[in-house]
Amino acid sequence: MRSFCLSLFLALLSSFCLHAQPVALFYLTDSPGSVRSFLAHSSKIDLLVPTWYQVDENGLVTGGPDPTVLATATKEDLPVMPIVALFDLKKFHSLAGSVPAQQQMNQALLREAKLHGYAGFQFDFENVSYLDRDGLNAVVERSAEALHQAGLKLTIATVPNAPGFPGRGGFAKWIYTDWRGAYDLATLSKYVDLICLMTYDQHTRWTTPGPVAGWQWTLENLDYALQQAPRQKLSLGIPLYGYHWFAGAPSINPTSGQASPNLLADYISAPDALQLAAAYGGNLEWDSADHTAFFYFYRDQMREWIFYTDLRTFRDRYRLAKDRGLEGVCSWVLGSEDPQIWTFLPDRASKH
């Protein structure tokens, strides 16, 4: 009987953990719109990750907090875990090859955390060569050891990389060698406290029009990540923004004068997307296969496409994280969201 009761308790505990409310991590930039969104909705946010710091190839850390944001977070006991960013293939290679540079970086992080009361830091190293996979692991291992000894946490944002090898074609090769191939999720998960899987930017200004994070693409990348890392260390990325594809003015060769096609795409916030739909008569549509909102409209007799995140797009991905028992969701970025998502998210206080 005692064994049966213990088994039942463990089963109920497992079920509770699988369906607990996901931790709502939100990214913040220095833009006024991003700051305003944070100030208006801070009670809905569980973990704030602002883009306050950068590091160079020499380990020099630059940046600092927004005083208003930091004061608000401190008053509300909201954990702050700033990003430390480096988006440069050659510079990251240099950083990964220099232990003294990494030590200088870690000393600066410890200093900043002590000065401002941070919970830790999140590494956002992108445009990293697949050849620096081991180097990235080593950087993370050293930093995790330094931060953990000081009672701080280290998390990392990773580009989704299913199926773990390049596909067919030149674009597939490039996106693997320069963006996806460096992230060894199994090894990284041993060192960090959390992996924020950036399940967005499936389609961008580099690609044809399409969802920012299609449903099947999201599932494939999440399933692959779950094979590599424990679910309690995974946070599912949700894009709050969209992309707008349109035809730009032809590019003119300055020597020959010959014109070349110039198809463009711009990052767009959900409110700006809806404003364009209203201005040009775009019919808001729902892609049931990709669980995403989109529309198109005509301007100057040319069709323009917009894929963006509305409440339904956000809600489906939030519920996916909850159903899979992930640690939470990581949403990029405050200021670009559909305001309706705040009616869906629970208050931080209600989770405790």
Side-chain angles (χ1 to χ4, degrees):
M1 181 66 177
R2 182 179 298 174
S3 175
F4 171 77
C5 290
L6 178 60
S7 298
L8 180 60
F9 171 76
L10 292 175
L12 290 172
L13 180 62
S14 175
S15 176
F16 172 78
C17 292
L18 281 174
H19 298 287
Q21 292 289 355
V23 173
L25 181 159
F26 280 85
Y27 292 102
L28 168 88
T29 68
D30 287 330
S31 75
S34 194
V35 173
R36 282 194 298 268
S37 178
F38 165 72
L39 296 175
H41 307 293
S42 59
S43 65
K44 304 277 188 175
I45 298 169
D46 298 316
L47 178 59
L48 184 68
V49 180
T51 58
W52 286 345
Y53 293 93
Q54 304 81 39
V55 63
D56 69 10
E57 69 272 30
N58 302 310
L60 179 65
V61 174
T62 55
D66 178 299
T68 301
V69 171
L70 186 60
T72 301
T74 301
K75 181 180 178 181
E76 298 184 6
D77 288 327
L78 172 61
V80 177
M81 186 177 292
I83 275 179
V84 180
L86 177 57
F87 293 10
D88 189 292
L89 192 147
K90 291 183 179 179
K91 289 183 179 180
F92 180 83
H93 179 75
S94 296
L95 177 66
S98 173
V99 173
Q102 294 169 44
Q103 291 172 336
Q104 177 171 318
M105 173 182 70
N106 292 334
Q107 289 169 2
L109 299 185
L110 294 173
R111 178 197 69 225
E112 291 298 302
K114 184 177 181 180
L115 280 173
H116 305 297
Y118 300 145
F121 291 92
Q122 180 167 120
F123 281 163
D124 189 6
F125 299 145
E126 300 181 44
N127 192 197
V128 176
S129 169
Y130 77 110
L131 297 174
D132 279 323
R133 185 181 179 96
D134 291 340
L136 176 59
N137 288 339
V139 170
V140 171
E141 181 180 12
R142 291 190 184 96
S143 294
E145 182 179 4
L147 292 177
H148 288 159
Q149 286 179 353
L152 301 169
K153 293 185 177 182
L154 179 65
T155 67
I156 187 169
T158 65
V159 177
N161 55 357
F165 52 84
R168 181 179 179 181
F171 182 83
K173 178 182 177 181
W174 171 76
I175 202 73
Y176 177 82
T177 60
D178 287 18
W179 292 91
R180 295 177 180 170
Y183 303 101
D184 178 356
L185 299 183
T187 300
L188 292 172
S189 68
K190 296 177 183 178
Y191 307 134
V192 299
D193 298 283
L194 182 69
I195 293 173
C196 287
L197 192 65
M198 295 187 287
T199 35
Y200 35 80
D201 273 9
Q202 177 189 12
H203 294 91
T204 69
R205 63 189 181 89
W206 295 94
T207 72
T208 54
V212 181
W215 190 249
Q216 187 59 37
W217 179 83
T218 298
L219 293 178
E220 288 172 1
N221 278 286
L222 176 56
D223 288 342
Y224 178 77
L226 285 168
Q227 294 170 16
Q228 314 296 320
R231 66 183 71 245
Q232 64 269 23
K233 283 194 172 185
L234 284 175
S235 182
L236 183 70
I238 303 180
L240 300 180
Y241 59 93
Y243 278 103
H244 171 205
W245 284 266
F246 55 96
S251 300
I252 306 298
N253 185 301
T255 303
S256 67
Q258 185 173 355
S260 299
N262 184 24
L263 300 179
L264 299 176
D266 276 345
Y267 177 100
I268 191 169
S269 69
D272 287 353
L274 295 175
Q275 185 176 7
L276 278 176
Y280 292 96
N283 183 36
L284 305 184
E285 299 189 46
W286 176 253
D287 186 326
S288 59
D290 272 316
H291 295 232
T292 194
F294 76 98
F295 63 92
Y296 62 85
F297 61 91
Y298 286 89
R299 180 161 47 181
D300 295 331
Q301 301 180 329
M302 301 300 297
R303 178 179 288 193
E304 301 184 18
W305 290 91
I306 292 181
F307 286 79
Y308 69 105
T309 296
D310 65 354
L311 170 60
R312 189 174 177 184
T313 308
F314 179 90
R315 185 177 58 205
D316 284 2
R317 284 151 183 80
Y318 181 93
R319 288 175 174 169
L320 173 63
K322 182 177 180 180
D323 292 344
R324 294 295 186 92
L326 305 186
E327 185 271 352
V329 295
C330 43
S331 301
W332 181 274
V333 57
L334 286 168
S336 63
E337 73 277 5
D338 178 347
Q340 291 301 310
I341 71 166
W342 303 114
T343 66
F344 167 72
L345 283 171
D347 284 334
R348 183 170 64 254
S350 69
K351 296 182 179 181
H352 303 293

